Amino acid sequence: VLIVGGRSSGVDISRELQNVADWTYIIEKKCSDLVSDSQKRVTHVPVGAALNADGHLYVDSTKAPGPPVDSVILATGYVYAFPFLQEDEVGMEFEGRRSCRPLYLHLQHAERPTLGFVGIQLAVPCPIPTFEAQSRYLGEAWATSEGALTPLGERQSWVAQRLSTIEASGREQDLHYTTAEGSSAWAYIRELVDAAPSPPKTSWLDSDDFDARLSTVESIYRDRGDH
């Protein structure tokens, strides 16, 4: 099986296939040369490899170790779809796109703050803490009479700044990468926790050693690359 894409989805799929497929090939951007593991029956392949008619992968003139490919999985990203929402009615753009607009903090509709979207970001290294922080932020925002913790102008300015970033990069999906402006998934979690009023201490997000605990989780994930 050939998997095109080496981020979260590609990695998860390759692990699922490890005990099923005869051999797994993974094409990924971070790979600079052919790297094989015969025990795990996997070959990491750099971008630019060619899949020939005989089913074998070639990097320039070098054939990748392993049997011919008979199935290809594209783990190259996705577009957003919310069939229960009409774009015009809610003032959004998402249909068939690789971004969802206009979301303040990747989370809250900038102009209709009572619409929230947990889990929109791409390449989240620690989903559960991220989603918990997002849910807490929304809960605290919706507990206010305005349904938001920040003024409309601030939310609109944040969205406008993000849009200017992706216009400069030419990559629409960069809108929802927490690393797109030099930040990180960890800084994003801290931003959400710091921005929301402190509720009763019922969550680890509110514990006195929250930052130390998050730093420990961050260090564990660092071996998977920068996030």
Side-chain angles (χ1 to χ4, degrees):
V1 179
L2 168 62
I3 300 171
V4 182
R7 297 195 72 92
S8 300
S9 296
V11 170
D12 289 345
I13 293 169
S14 68
R15 287 173 176 164
E16 293 290 335
L17 289 173
Q18 190 170 2
N19 297 320
V20 179
D22 292 334
W23 200 277
T24 303
Y25 302 90
I26 307 170
I27 293 181
E28 52 184 320
K29 292 180 180 178
K30 291 184 178 181
C31 182
S32 58
D33 201 358
L34 288 168
V35 178
S36 290
D37 186 326
S38 58
Q39 289 187 328
K40 294 183 177 179
R41 307 186 309 282
V42 62
T43 299
H44 295 267
V45 184
V47 172
L51 179 60
N52 281 17
D54 62 3
H56 287 285
L57 282 162
Y58 289 82
V59 177
D60 296 326
S61 59
T62 303
K63 183 171 76 172
V69 172
D70 56 25
S71 298
V72 178
I73 297 175
L74 300 180
T76 51
Y78 51 86
V79 295
Y80 293 94
F82 303 102
F84 47 86
L85 293 177
Q86 298 297 319
E87 287 183 305
D88 292 342
E89 291 184 8
V90 296
M92 296 186 68
E93 296 179 51
F94 54 77
E95 194 66 41
R97 307 184 71 108
R98 300 193 72 181
S99 66
C100 187
R101 330 172 176 192
L103 294 187
Y104 173 63
L105 295 177
H106 312 286
L107 177 64
Q108 188 175 33
H109 195 306
E111 293 156 12
R112 295 173 178 251
T114 53
L115 272 177
F117 299 80
V118 172
I120 287 291
Q121 284 105 318
L122 302 177
V124 176
C126 50
I128 302 305
T130 301
F131 301 162
E132 186 175 354
Q134 289 181 321
S135 298
R136 169 186 145 155
Y137 181 92
L138 284 177
E140 292 301 314
W142 291 342
T144 68
S145 58
E146 299 82 8
L149 298 176
T150 53
L152 173 61
E154 182 176 332
R155 300 194 301 271
Q156 291 174 324
S157 295
W158 189 94
V159 172
Q161 175 60 42
R162 296 294 298 192
L163 290 176
S164 67
T165 297
I166 67 168
E167 287 174 3
S169 71
R171 288 168 44 88
E172 185 178 19
Q173 62 268 34
D174 282 355
L175 183 65
H176 299 306
Y177 278 117
T178 50
T179 56
E181 293 181 327
S183 185
S184 70
W186 317 103
Y188 174 71
I189 292 174
R190 292 184 174 96
E191 180 182 5
L192 291 178
V193 172
D194 291 343
S198 299
K201 293 187 177 183
T202 57
S203 165
W204 74 281
L205 297 174
D206 308 308
S207 62
D208 294 335
D209 61 347
F210 154 72
D211 197 75
R213 293 173 67 182
L214 186 62
S215 295
T216 299
V217 176
E218 179 179 3
S219 66
I220 293 171
Y221 276 93
R222 281 295 177 190
D223 64 353
R224 297 178 59 183
D226 292 330
H227 295 284

